Amino acid sequence: MTSPSMQTASSPRRPPPSLPRPNEACWCGSGDKYKRCHKEADYLFLRDEQKRLEATKIRPGVISPRRPVPPEIQRPEYAESGEANRGSGRLIRTSEEIVRMRRAGKAAAQVLRTVGEAIKPGITTDALDALAHETTIKLGGYPSPLNYGKTEDRPPFPKSICTSVNEIICHGIPDSRALQSGDIVNVDVTVFLDGVHGDTNATFLVGEVDEESQRLVRVTRECMLKGIEAVKAGRPISDIGRAIEQHADAHGYSVVRSYCGHGICEVFHNDLQIPHYFDPKANTRMEVGMTFTVEPMINAGGWQDRLWEDRWTVVTADLKRSAQFEHTILVTESGAEILTQ
Ligand code: MF3
Ligand code: CO
Ligand code: CO
C-alpha cells in the first residue's frame, strides 16, 4: 500500500471533484479517515493549482482607437448605431443569396488564413486585428464585428475580429497583449460582403504548446467536423449537438452551453439557434437552403462560463483552456456545403 505522503511527494494526485468530510473514509480506498489520509495533500494540491491558474490568467490590455472603414465599403445596418436588427424570420435562402453567401464565406476564409499566417510569439492581438481589418477592406468587405451588438447592458463590439486566448471561450477583444509561446488563440472572422455575412474561426497554436492543449485543439476541430457531418435535411437541429457532445465526452471535455451556432445571411445572428450539446428542444428540422454556423466551444474543464466586466469577453469559470472552430454552412440535398472553405 502507498502512503499518501509518499504518493504526493513524487506525483501529486488530483483529488476527486467532491471531497469527503474529515471523519469520513478517504476517497483513495485506504480505509483510513480522510483527515488522516489525503486531506492535507488535497489541500496543498488545490492551493497550488489555484496559484498556477491565477498566475497564467489573461488580463485585459489596452484597446486601440476604432479603425475607420472607407466610405465606399457597403456597411451592415448596425455600422452607425451599433444596434442590429433580427431579420425577417425567413430561414430558407434564395439561390441568388446563396451565390453571395459563397463569396462572403470565401472572403472570411481568406482573412482567417491571412491572420493565421501572422500568428507568432510577440505579436499583439491588436496587430492581428489591424491585419484582418485591412485584408477585409481590400477584399471589398466590412468587418462584421466592428460596432456590432450594442444592447441595454453592453456597448457595441469595438474591433474587427474576436481574439480569444487560452481560458477565453469567445468574444475576446483584440488589445495590447502580445501572444506568448504556449498560448492557444482563437481568431474569429466575419465578413459582410454584398449584403450578407460569412463567419468562420479557428484556434491556432502559438510557438511551443503543451501536448494537452494540442489535444484540446485537435479534438475541438473534430467536434466541429462531426457537427457538420450530422447536417441532413429532414433531421432535427439537435442531431448536430448530439454528435458534438458525444465526441467531446469521449475525450473528457465539456461543451459550452451559453453560446450557440446561429442562422446567418443578411443578418449576422438571426433567430435560428444551433446548440452544440444535445438539446431535445432544438427540434426545428433542417431544410435545404438554410444557412447557419457550426461553432462548438470545447472546454478542458467544466462547461460553465463567466463574463468579464467589459461585457464581451467570455472565460471558463475554472480558468482552464477552451478551444473553438467555426464554419458557415448551407444545407444541401446531400448534407452540408461549407461556405467558409
Ligand atoms: N463571430 C462571432 C460568432 O461566431 C460573433 C462575434 S460578435 C462580436 O458568432 F460582436 F463579438 F464580434
Ligand atoms: Co458565428
Ligand atoms: Co464567428
Side-chain angles (χ1 to χ4, degrees):
M1 224 208 294
T2 358
S3 87
S5 53
M6 278 170 57
Q7 204 173 56
T8 50
S10 52
S11 61
R13 207 173 148 173
R14 161 166 298 285
S18 87
L19 298 172
R21 294 168 176 287
N23 283 318
E24 287 173 357
C26 187
W27 53 264
C28 74
S30 65
D32 279 349
K33 286 190 175 171
Y34 181 54
K35 67 180 178 195
R36 275 195 265 106
C37 194
H38 270 89
K39 183 163 174 285
E40 177 75 11
D42 287 356
Y43 171 82
L44 293 173
F45 181 97
L46 293 170
R47 193 195 59 180
D48 285 355
E49 183 175 62
Q50 190 59 34
K51 270 200 194 139
R52 192 174 49 78
L53 287 174
E54 303 215 326
T56 58
K57 243 183 346 198
I58 304 292
R59 281 161 213 287
V62 177
I63 299 173
S64 66
R66 180 165 164 178
R67 300 197 150 84
V69 177
E72 63 273 20
I73 297 284
Q74 190 199 332
R75 290 151 152 75
E77 80 285 354
Y78 54 81
E80 305 310 324
S81 71
E83 285 165 66
N85 68 36
R86 305 290 311 161
S88 62
R90 183 172 55 85
L91 298 179
I92 311 301
R93 315 329 317 197
T94 66
S95 54
E96 169 273 324
E97 279 173 325
I98 290 166
V99 170
R100 289 188 283 134
M101 287 288 290
R102 285 198 187 100
R103 283 203 290 263
K106 275 214 175 72
Q110 172 153 5
V111 174
L112 181 59
R113 249 195 324 276
T114 302
V115 174
E117 283 164 11
I119 289 175
K120 54 170 191 239
I123 194 166
T124 65
T125 50
D126 185 63
L128 299 180
D129 182 74
L131 178 59
H133 186 85
E134 183 194 310
T135 310
T136 302
I137 287 168
K138 268 197 201 130
L139 293 168
Y142 176 96
S144 308
L146 187 61
N147 210 42
Y148 176 76
K150 178 178 168 200
T151 65
E152 278 161 15
D153 39 43
R154 70 178 184 202
F157 195 80
K159 290 282 143 202
S160 299
I161 53 173
C162 301
T163 51
S164 302
V165 180
N166 299 347
E167 74 268 17
I168 302 180
I169 293 174
C170 63
H171 301 168
I173 303 174
D175 67 15
S176 56
R177 183 183 181 278
L179 294 175
Q180 296 173 11
S181 181
D183 286 344
I184 60 172
V185 59
N186 178 276
V187 174
D188 192 341
V189 172
T190 314
V191 171
F192 181 74
L193 184 68
D194 217 351
V196 299
H197 300 267
D199 191 4
T200 183
N201 76 46
T203 301
F204 299 90
L205 308 176
V206 184
E208 293 291 310
V209 172
D210 66 88
E211 293 269 330
E212 183 44 40
S213 299
Q214 290 188 37
R215 191 174 75 95
L216 173 68
V217 171
R218 177 167 36 84
V219 171
T220 302
R221 184 162 175 278
E222 290 164 4
C223 282
M224 174 194 65
L225 295 173
K226 302 242 177 218
I228 294 173
E229 273 168 34
V231 172
K232 200 171 179 345
R235 297 289 310 168
I237 294 280
S238 60
D239 275 14
I240 298 170
R242 193 206 315 264
I244 291 168
E245 190 170 43
Q246 231 170 48
H247 193 62
D249 263 10
H251 287 86
Y253 296 143
S254 63
V255 179
V256 170
R257 302 175 75 87
S258 311
Y259 300 84
C260 296
H262 49 94
I264 180 170
C265 186
E266 82 291 5
V267 164
F268 193 170
H269 297 92
N270 67 35
D271 289 332
L272 184 63
Q273 287 214 7
I274 318 292
H276 301 113
Y277 55 94
F278 176 64
D279 179 1
K281 294 189 299 304
N283 55 10
T284 303
R285 305 250 158 203
M286 294 180 252
E287 285 182 63
V288 173
M290 282 179 169
T291 50
F292 55 78
T293 69
V294 177
E295 51 178 304
M297 289 142 274
I298 304 297
N299 294 353
W303 59 267
Q304 291 84 353
D305 57 271
R306 298 277 184 274
L307 197 57
W308 275 8
E309 263 168 40
D310 63 19
R311 310 299 294 161
W312 276 106
T313 308
V314 182
V315 294
T316 57
D318 57 18
L319 299 181
K320 294 189 180 167
R321 290 184 169 193
S322 180
Q324 183 182 23
F325 283 84
E326 173 176 29
H327 273 309
T328 298
I329 67 101
L330 164 72
V331 182
T332 65
E333 299 285 350
S334 58
E337 176 185 333
I338 297 178
L339 299 174
T340 42
Q341 202 77 276

